[in-house]
Structure formats: structure tokens, C-alpha cells
Amino acid sequence: MAINAYDNCPCGSGKKAKWCCSAYFDAVERAIDQQQQGQHDGALRTMNELTKAHGDKPPVWCYFANILAAEGKTEEAEQALQKALVLQPDFAMAHL
């Protein structure tokens, strides 16, 4: 389901989705769908590709951390959150 460009972004940044996560949110949703369908390797591969393309965006690392945590990869999830915090120390989603 596509996000409305003028709604607040689901990452919690307070920005409109158009100016935040809309450029890559389809890939995040695809990874979540893959994970829910038991395609765990595919979900991780999708998120790895996303971090290569948009690794400068803190929400990408937070979404990746959620996928990793759901896979039981706690240490890797913590590392992804740390990358988000390096990019933006006050990024709220990384503190949840």
C-alpha cells in the first residue's frame, strides 16, 4: 500500500512522506511482505540493497533494524540502529 505523499511519514520524523521516505518506502514494504511470507533471505536481501542505495537516510537503517530484530539478529539490528544515530543523533525512530 503506497503512502500518501502529504501524510506524516510513518518513520516518525514529523516530515511529510513526500519529503522523507516515499522514495524508498515501496522497498521497505516489499521486505516486510517477504518476511511475513517466510521469505527471510529475500527480505534481508531487499533491505541490504536498500541500504546500498539509500544508506545516507536514517529511516532506512531503522527499518533494516526492525527486519533484523524480527529475524532474531539482535546484534546486527543494534549495529543498524547505531548507523542511523551516527547519521542523525536525535532521530526518534532509532530511540524506540
Side-chain angles (χ1 to χ4, degrees):
M1 177 167 80
I3 55 177
N4 183 324
Y6 297 101
D7 285 347
N8 286 336
C9 192
C11 78
S13 67
K15 298 177 184 176
K16 300 296 180 192
K18 178 178 181 176
W19 306 114
C20 195
C21 295
S22 67
Y24 49 81
F25 198 75
D26 288 344
V28 171
E29 285 187 321
R30 184 171 53 254
I32 292 169
D33 287 344
Q34 288 171 323
Q35 184 182 43
Q36 290 173 345
Q37 294 172 11
Q39 301 170 0
H40 306 289
D41 290 339
L44 293 173
R45 194 169 31 256
T46 297
M47 290 308 297
N48 274 319
E49 291 170 6
L50 188 58
T51 60
K52 289 176 186 168
H54 296 281
D56 61 330
K57 309 289 187 215
V60 167
W61 291 103
C62 291
Y63 291 125
F64 192 24
N66 286 334
I67 296 284
L68 290 166
E71 294 295 321
K73 298 177 182 265
T74 309
E75 283 186 35
E76 292 176 49
E78 287 291 330
Q79 291 170 356
L81 288 176
Q82 287 304 314
K83 289 180 183 181
L85 290 170
V86 166
L87 292 169
Q88 187 176 341
D90 62 344
F91 190 64
M93 187 179 181
H95 291 285
L96 297 175

